[in-house]
Amino acid sequence: MMAPSPVLVALDVDTVEDALALADGLRGVVGGYKIGSRLFTSRGPTLVRQMVERGDRLFLDLKFHDIPNTVAGAVAAATRLGVWMVNVHASGGLDMMRAAKAAALEEAHKAPTAAPLVIAVTVLTSFDQPALADVGVTSAIADQVQRLAALAQKAGLDGVVASPHEIALIRGTCGPDFAIVTPGIRSAGDQKGDQKRTLPAGQALSAGASYLVVGRPIIGDANPRAAAERIDRECQAVLAQ
Ligand code: C5P
């Protein structure tokens, strides 16, 4: 029996037609799809509902960051849409994260449906040390990532998004039952694009990632399904160990 694929495909496209065509072509190979602010802002809840009705697992990557009451309302709305995973910024604080998790559980209980996993973004990978200092954070990036991951766990969240070079640190800090969702997946020979620190899928899983967010190596391939199958085979080999 093969494990469900840990690969979540980033649907970084602009149209519903492109998103649905990609999802239709990859169904059964990958573990789910990520819809970010670009697609959501143009196509929104209608597309999410369409995909959920087709049975797809959706990670709604909108990185909520607001006062606790507002974030709770947004997470409740995402829960009503039927998404499988949703995220918030850990820098929104303990109360905001607790409110997010409570809203997911309460809204799911009302439906009744499964509550989405609620995960946190720690430090955006676009930050370097000077940029972090500009916003008043003088800790080393790794320390800030560790602090925010521990805070997310304390708030009862299900995991964090982490770049390949942060996986081991977070696994060490938060233990085996905390989900780590990792973008920046590239095989040797892939175009890195704007990703600076990358790891091949198998190595990211070996390092402790739970899910891998993969965009261009799949959606930019001439044959997305074949590309996804290659990446999933690499994952299954590690998961079978
Ligand atoms: O195309 P690529 O595989 O680089 O896509 C990675 C996806 O993960 C994109 O949707 C990107 O926005 C997202 N992401 C990322 N790095 C982060 C957080 C999210 O690449 N630190």
Side-chain angles (χ1 to χ4, degrees), residues 10 12 34 61 63 125 161 183-186 195 213-217:
D12 292 331
K34 180 174 85 75
D61 177 24
K63 303 183 179 67
T125 45
V161 180
I185 301 303
R186 293 292 184 274
Q195 297 285 14
V213 173
V214 186
R216 287 161 289 183

Side-chain angles (χ1 to χ4, degrees), residues 16-215:
V16 172
E17 294 69 31
D18 287 351
L20 292 179
L22 266 172
D24 287 346
L26 296 169
R27 196 162 294 122
V29 178
V30 300
Y33 303 98
K34 180 174 85 75
I35 290 186
S37 48
R38 172 176 162 189
L39 188 56
F40 193 80
T41 302
S42 55
R43 298 299 161 196
T46 309
L47 173 63
V48 171
R49 272 194 217 98
Q50 271 178 294
M51 293 190 65
V52 169
E53 277 166 16
R54 292 170 183 225
D56 293 329
R57 288 204 309 194
L58 285 193
F59 168 20
L60 192 60
D61 177 24
L62 298 181
K63 303 183 179 67
F64 298 131
H65 187 173
D66 209 314
I67 58 172
N69 188 56
T70 302
V71 167
V75 170
T79 306
R80 287 194 295 277
L81 283 176
V83 305
W84 164 75
M85 180 184 276
V86 64
N87 62 359
V88 302
H89 269 283
S91 52
L94 188 63
D95 288 349
M96 188 206 80
M97 288 191 280
R98 282 184 170 145
K101 179 69 187 180
L105 293 175
E106 277 163 29
E107 203 65 24
H109 185 70
K110 276 190 224 158
T113 181
L117 298 170
V118 183
I119 64 167
V121 173
T122 58
V123 178
L124 292 170
T125 45
S126 49
F127 273 87
D128 57 12
Q129 203 64 61
L132 202 58
D134 282 345
V135 295
V137 178
T138 50
S139 315
I141 289 179
D143 292 342
Q144 183 68 358
V145 166
Q146 196 173 19
R147 175 183 296 124
L148 289 175
L151 194 68
Q153 191 171 39
K154 183 175 173 187
L157 295 205
D158 301 288
V160 288
V161 180
S163 75
H165 71 288
E166 294 163 349
I167 299 170
L169 173 72
I170 292 170
R171 196 45 82 219
T173 305
C174 298
D177 299 326
F178 200 57
I180 299 179
V181 180
T182 302
I185 301 303
R186 293 292 184 274
S187 305
D190 274 352
Q191 295 283 339
K192 291 200 171 181
D194 50 3
Q195 297 285 14
K196 292 195 179 64
R197 297 186 201 83
T198 66
L199 270 189
Q203 285 182 35
L205 285 182
S206 299
S210 320
Y211 300 100
L212 309 176
V213 173
V214 186

